[in-house]
């Protein structure tokens, strides 16, 4: 599959924010509304932020612009987003209510210290990514490749990159075939995203993270569990070392 080719079913990623939701198929606009609400609850999007354009969000979430527009309108009706004609839609409020990330509420993982979360990621995520390399099918690889392509257009925008980054990680976790571990990894991924956002604004941070993603996808595409686990462990280590200074206030 060429990287310039969209995944044939644009709802493949957006329709399943977690395995538990696979039991009940929901309208795609509702799924997108929940995804944007999760971005706000986790701190990737903050009050006052302008949202990426509909096209950019559609690319990041690998869905149609109509689905993005419908999700935005749902949040605007709740007073979470503010739509202004001739201007970008902005985050008006972060009062999104209880939002589940994996199987826990958004920011619940923030009650743990960074050392504990990093150790958990090294243990759980290595297994999840190795399983993904074993179990992923061609459609799953196509999803990861489409997300990599979308990320090439976000290398100068930390917020847009993190939106696509979250979709990339969740697609990878879900490819493992283990719904419980996928949800645990999704919760761990959400740790202190407000600091991760600051860290991604550092020079070269996005390019380095993107290069890590390329290495991970190459290993997964080759169905090499050991190489995939090692590539992801290196990526997780970089997340740990680059985020820690911002949590300590050093920048």
């Amino acid at each position: 599959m060429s990287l310039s080719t969209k995944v044939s079913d644009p709802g493949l990623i957006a329709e399943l924010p977690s395995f538990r939701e696979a039991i009940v198929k929901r309208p795609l606009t509702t799924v997108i509304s929940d995804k944007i609400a999760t971005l706000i609850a986790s701190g990737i999007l903050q009050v006052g932020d302008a949202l990426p354009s509909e096209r950019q969000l559609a690319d990041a979430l690998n869905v149609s612009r109509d689905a993005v527009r419908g999700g935005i309108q749902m949040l605007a009706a709740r007073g979470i987003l503010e739509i202004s004609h001739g201007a970008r839609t902005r985050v008006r409020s972060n009062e999104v209510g209880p939002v589940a990330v994996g199987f826990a509420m958004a920011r619940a993982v923030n009650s743990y210290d960074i050392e504990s979360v990093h150790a958990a990621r090294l243990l759980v995520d290595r297994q999840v990514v190795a399983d993904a390399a074993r179990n992923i099918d061609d459609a799953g690889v196509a999803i990861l490749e489409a997300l990599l392509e979308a990320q090439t257009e976000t290398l100068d925008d930390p917020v847009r990159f993190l939106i696509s980054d979250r979709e990339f990680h969740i697609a990878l976790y879900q490819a493992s075939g283990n719904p419980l571990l996928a949800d645990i990894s999704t919760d761990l991924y959400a740790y202190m995203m407000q600091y991760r956002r600051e860290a991604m604004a550092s020079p070269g941070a996005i390019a380095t993270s993107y290069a890590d993603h390329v290495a991970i996808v190459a290993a997964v595409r080759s169905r090499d569990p050991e190489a995939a686990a090692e590539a992801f462990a290196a990526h997780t280590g970089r997340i740990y070392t680059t985020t820690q200074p911002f949590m300590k206030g050093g920048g």
Side-chain angles (χ1 to χ4, degrees):
M1 172 181 169
S2 168
L3 288 186
S4 63
T5 303
K6 279 281 189 181
V7 176
S8 59
D9 182 354
L12 277 174
I13 302 173
E15 186 126 352
L16 298 174
S18 77
F19 272 85
R20 291 171 296 104
E21 294 181 354
I23 300 172
V24 179
K25 188 171 183 179
R26 301 180 300 151
L28 186 54
T29 53
T30 302
V31 175
I32 298 304
S33 172
D34 288 351
K35 281 182 174 288
I36 297 172
T38 300
L39 293 171
I40 296 169
S42 67
I44 294 178
L45 288 172
Q46 300 175 5
V47 173
D49 280 349
L51 264 63
S53 68
E54 288 181 359
R55 180 190 67 79
Q56 291 167 343
L57 269 178
D59 287 344
L61 300 177
N62 205 38
V63 295
S64 69
R65 291 179 65 175
D66 286 342
V68 168
R69 187 177 302 117
I72 288 174
Q73 289 172 346
M74 291 178 68
L75 290 175
R78 293 172 53 192
I80 305 300
L81 298 179
E82 183 176 21
I83 300 175
S84 301
H85 295 291
R88 297 270 288 278
T89 298
R90 292 189 175 274
V91 179
R92 180 180 181 184
S93 170
N94 59 8
E95 299 296 326
V96 295
V99 176
V101 178
F103 62 84
M105 291 296 104
R107 301 204 184 196
V109 71
N110 290 356
S111 62
Y112 298 91
D113 63 272
I114 189 172
E115 303 298 337
S116 297
V117 172
H118 180 56
R121 292 197 73 177
L122 288 176
L123 180 65
V124 177
D125 287 357
R126 286 175 64 96
Q127 182 65 51
V128 170
V129 174
D131 286 346
R134 293 185 186 96
N135 298 326
I136 198 167
D137 56 17
D138 290 343
V141 172
I143 288 172
L144 295 177
E145 291 179 332
L147 289 167
L148 278 183
E149 180 185 15
Q151 287 171 15
T152 62
E153 299 183 3
T154 69
L155 299 181
D156 60 350
D157 189 329
V159 172
R160 283 177 59 202
F161 180 81
L162 283 173
I163 292 171
S164 181
D165 179 73
R166 182 178 185 275
E167 295 300 307
F168 175 86
H169 279 253
I170 291 175
L172 185 61
Y173 301 151
Q174 291 185 352
S176 70
N178 187 318
L180 177 57
L181 288 182
D183 274 356
I184 291 172
S185 288
T186 299
D187 285 331
L188 293 172
Y189 168 83
Y191 184 68
M192 295 294 184
M193 287 305 300
Q194 67 271 34
Y195 295 110
R196 187 73 191 139
R197 169 176 158 154
E198 293 182 43
M200 292 308 295
S202 301
I206 296 177
T208 300
S209 191
Y210 173 76
D212 286 348
H213 289 177
V214 171
I216 292 165
V217 171
V220 170
R221 186 190 301 113
S222 299
R223 273 63 171 188
D224 188 334
E226 186 173 331
E230 289 303 316
F232 200 87
H235 181 52
T236 301
R238 265 187 274 275
I239 292 172
Y240 168 73
T241 57
T242 57
T243 304
Q244 193 177 37
F246 289 89
M247 293 180 62
K248 293 180 177 179

